[in-house]
Amino acid sequence: MASTEELVEAYAEWRTRSNANPRLTKMLKGWDRVIHFTTTDTAQGYTMRVEGQQLSELAVGHEGQPDVVVTGSSEDFCDMYWGDLNPSEKYMSGEITLAGSQQDVMRIDAISMVAFLDT
Amino acid sequence: MTDATIASRATLRRALGLRTVVTTSTGLAFAALEYLAAAGLVAYVSGDSAFIPIIVAGILALVAYGFFGELNGMFPTAAAIRLYMKRSMDDRAALVITFTYMTTIILVIASDAFIVGSALAHAFGEPAWVASLWIIGLLAVAVVTNLRGISVAGLLQDVATSVVVLATLAIGVLALVRSGHGLHTPFQPLHGHGPGDLFEAVALGVFLYSAFEWVTTSAEEVRKPESISRGMLIAVGILCVVCSVAAVAMSHTLTHNELTSAYPQLYLGIAAIGHSGLWVMAGVTAVTALNTFNGGFITASRFIYGTAREGSLPRQLAHLNDRAVPWVPVVTLGALSAIVALLVALTHAWQVLVATGAALEAMIYGVAGFCALRLRKRQPDTPRPFRVRGLSVLGPIGVVLFGLLAVTASVSVQTRFNPAPLIIILVVGALSAFYVLRVLPGIREREAARRAARPRRRPGR
């Protein structure tokens, strides 16, 4: 299980990469969203906001009304933020689940894919 | 899905309610092809008894609803079809079936483009070849709007489907009333026809409901998980009533040539309210394209994208444009649909399209029954918010019946023996099997090697 500190550190790395990626920031134009992450193994909640084409810092706990809710293990989230995991594989196998519109779900996956140039 | 995710849906800022689930499910089923399927069904039964096979097909659709309801309850996600098929059977078989089934989406998009194009050309009094320009134009607009990430909002979906359903119902009733005489042999479908014809009519009737289950891909967007099951049930009821009225009205008021044309609904409109009825139904036909193109392109492109990201399709199919749209699948779908639509326009073989779609849909309903049965044994403890009563009996009956319907629909076009639909399905199935068995292993090997060569970024791992 990944601790909150590990997750926050991993997310910070993901955030830096994403915010510095011009293609990704262009993709997030007009897409201000609140995303909740929920870990199934540690029962923790985290909040990420996308505002003005930039990812915010990761807040511990669920804040605000979400547009998307992502649920998975803390290990999977940590690996995803480091770019060591393809979230789509976990999604297609049911290990990561989502709630939200299909278009928003696509953007979440796009962030992880484009940020690590996995295309 | 975990309790956490289910509970959090209630807090989503944007979520679909039951009304939009109903209109989405109904709208996905009610493509322009619906009118041709209803008109085609009329040929297999006597007089004005077309509502009988439609009701029988509606009962079978309820069986399919049960299968999809249970499966969707177990896997309330847009990736459900991959999940329940992978867990029910060998993944290679699951992929072959899934890819073959995806052909249905291309057929529906192509047929809608063809029917709308032909209907508009006829309405404007243009020569038949102009329909090809309409087809290309419509698909080009659909591709461009999808590439720009423009999709139909829930409210517009509600309005569009309501317009289509209510207008069709009204036109059907008016046509019947205006005809001035009673129904011919409304309760004798077999008069002058054999049981095989009735069975074929039921197979086409099942096609009238097909694609209602595609709303399960919206499972992640609904406020309450049970909305999907309830919405599908209501949609089946609506489709039964509207299609019955439309089919009986067509059988009662249209000539043989009008019934076998590419736009029988236009003639139904004329029969109902005169020449203005042609424009009403031309407009309604165009509105059906809104639902079909929106739903079809989004469902198929996202599925292809997800399958490519999973590693079961080439990575190039997961490329996104600057609006986060998987542009390669969208363009490919548009191109393939255009080719099929133009081929149909050239050969006038739209009834082959209808029969092929009917066979594919019956096949997938049978597969859904098989999956529901297998998962009862393999995953007995997985929560099932929706549980089919008597699945041990209904399941095998459904599998056999849908299998027989699929075979029947695949070898009959317009009451004549015609193996063209079967040949199409077998060719597509063979291509899918070739890809899964011969090409995919190499793709997966290369992807595994690529990932193994990339160092892990996470510290300490």
Side-chain angles (χ1 to χ4, degrees):
Chain A
M1 290 191 291
S3 65
T4 295
E5 290 71 31
E6 280 181 286
L7 265 172
V8 169
E9 182 195 351
Y11 175 83
E13 165 68 19
W14 193 51
R15 179 188 176 218
T16 303
R17 273 182 171 270
S18 301
N19 288 344
N21 188 307
R23 183 152 182 253
L24 189 55
T25 52
K26 194 174 174 185
M27 222 179 255
L28 298 178
K29 189 178 176 186
W31 194 71
D32 288 355
R33 294 292 190 267
V34 174
I35 297 115
H36 284 179
F37 292 94
T38 304
T39 57
T40 50
D41 48 357
T42 57
Q44 278 283 357
Y46 304 90
T47 302
M48 170 183 119
R49 291 176 189 274
V50 179
E51 285 167 334
Q53 299 168 258
Q54 295 283 289
L55 272 61
S56 70
E57 284 186 8
L58 189 71
V60 178
H62 287 156
E63 297 174 1
Q65 196 174 17
D67 297 290
V68 184
V69 178
V70 187
T71 306
S73 71
S74 59
E75 282 292 311
D76 283 345
F77 283 149
C78 217
D79 285 339
M80 182 181 82
Y81 295 149
W82 280 111
D84 288 335
L85 178 141
N86 178 350
S88 281
E89 280 182 18
K90 294 286 182 173
Y91 169 68
M92 295 294 268
S93 68
E95 292 171 79
I96 286 180
T97 57
L98 293 116
S101 75
Q102 289 187 46
Q103 286 87 338
D104 286 346
V105 166
M106 284 285 304
R107 300 264 183 163
I108 302 279
D109 189 61
I111 295 172
S112 65
M113 187 171 73
V114 176
F116 292 98
L117 300 173
D118 196 19
T119 52
Chain B
M1 178 167 282
T2 65
D3 291 338
T5 313
I6 293 170
S8 62
R9 278 181 178 170
T11 64
L12 283 175
R13 194 201 307 264
R14 298 175 189 80
L16 302 180
L18 179 61
R19 187 188 69 204
T20 303
V21 173
V22 172
T23 58
T24 302
S25 183
T26 308
L28 286 168
F30 213 106
L33 197 56
E34 202 82 339
Y35 299 112
L36 269 65
L41 183 156
V42 163
Y44 288 93
V45 292
S46 165
D48 297 324
S49 53
F51 68 96
I52 293 175
I54 291 175
I55 290 174
V56 172
I59 295 168
L60 290 174
L62 287 176
V63 175
Y65 150 77
F67 297 155
F68 285 110
E70 179 157 324
L71 292 168
N72 177 69
M74 293 173 71
F75 309 105
T77 161
I81 188 170
R82 281 293 287 136
L83 283 168
Y84 64 70
M85 287 184 69
K86 208 188 312 198
R87 294 178 189 194
S88 309
M89 61 184 83
D90 180 273
D91 192 39
R92 292 169 299 179
L95 279 171
V96 171
I97 294 170
T98 308
F99 290 148
T100 307
Y101 175 54
M102 285 292 133
T103 316
T104 314
I105 299 183
I106 296 173
L107 291 183
V108 173
I109 294 173
S111 62
D112 252 41
F114 163 72
I115 293 164
V116 176
S118 303
L120 290 174
H122 178 77
F124 285 112
E126 292 158 349
W129 65 265
V130 174
S132 302
L133 298 179
W134 280 108
I135 289 169
I136 293 169
L138 284 164
L139 285 170
V141 168
V143 167
V144 167
T145 49
N146 270 275
L147 288 176
R148 294 184 68 80
I150 298 169
S151 61
V152 175
L155 183 59
L156 186 55
Q157 169 89 56
D158 294 348
V159 170
T161 302
S162 302
V163 163
V164 169
V165 164
L166 291 172
T168 303
L169 202 54
I171 289 288
V173 169
L174 284 169
L176 283 167
V177 167
R178 208 173 166 218
S179 72
H181 49 87
L183 299 177
H184 303 301
T185 61
F187 299 106
Q188 296 173 26
L190 294 177
H191 183 69
H193 291 269
D197 285 343
L198 181 61
F199 200 70
E200 176 65 38
V202 171
L204 285 177
V206 167
F207 185 61
L208 292 174
Y209 300 90
S210 66
F212 81 94
E213 74 278 4
W214 290 0
V215 75
T216 53
T217 59
S218 301
E220 291 150 346
E221 303 180 55
V222 294
R223 199 161 277 123
K224 295 178 188 173
E226 58 269 23
S227 296
I228 296 285
S229 299
R230 280 187 199 152
M232 286 198 292
L233 185 60
I234 296 170
V236 168
I238 292 171
L239 289 164
C240 185
V241 170
V242 177
C243 292
S244 294
V245 169
V248 170
M250 283 189 199
S251 70
H252 193 65
T253 60
L254 303 189
T255 65
H256 174 75
N257 283 348
E258 290 168 346
L259 278 169
T260 53
S261 73
Y263 28 79
Q265 68 276 21
L266 299 191
Y267 295 113
L268 187 67
I270 294 170
I273 54 174
H275 193 73
S276 54
L278 179 144
W279 290 105
V280 167
M281 291 311 289
V284 169
T285 305
V287 172
T288 64
L290 192 71
N291 283 332
T292 306
F293 289 168
N294 181 66
F297 271 98
I298 286 179
T299 302
S301 64
R302 271 45 172 187
F303 173 79
I304 293 171
Y305 169 82
T307 308
R309 284 283 279 149
E310 177 204 33
S312 295
L313 281 171
R315 291 174 64 229
Q316 290 73 16
L317 290 170
H319 286 177
L320 298 174
N321 67 8
D322 289 344
R323 294 172 192 262
V325 172
W327 65 271
V328 179
V330 169
V331 170
T332 307
L333 279 168
L336 284 174
S337 301
I339 292 169
V340 173
L342 291 171
L343 264 172
V344 170
L346 201 66
T347 58
H348 303 283
W350 50 84
Q351 291 294 349
V352 171
L353 215 62
V354 171
T356 308
L360 282 168
E361 284 291 334
M363 176 196 84
I364 204 63
Y365 290 170
V367 169
F370 171 82
C371 291
L373 279 166
R374 280 296 277 261
L375 289 174
R376 281 277 182 104
K377 290 198 172 88
R378 288 189 174 187
Q379 292 187 213
D381 299 326
T382 301
R384 287 171 168 78
F386 182 94
R387 198 176 176 92
V388 179
R389 285 185 199 173
L391 182 67
S392 55
V393 173
L394 263 181
I397 292 174
V399 170
V400 169
L401 264 176
F402 285 125
L404 285 171
L405 286 170
V407 169
T408 306
S410 66
V411 294
S412 172
V413 179
Q414 281 284 292
T415 72
R416 292 193 187 91
F417 175 79
N418 185 337
L422 179 64
I423 292 170
I424 292 169
I425 293 170
L426 288 176
V427 167
V428 172
L431 288 171
S432 301
F434 177 79
Y435 170 78
V436 170
L437 297 173
R438 293 300 178 99
V439 178
L440 184 56
I443 291 176
R444 284 183 169 158
E445 265 178 46
R446 285 190 291 277
E447 180 62 16
R450 190 183 71 84
R451 288 189 192 175
R454 194 183 65 201
R456 281 183 68 87
R457 298 186 182 96
R458 185 173 171 182
R461 296 301 166 117

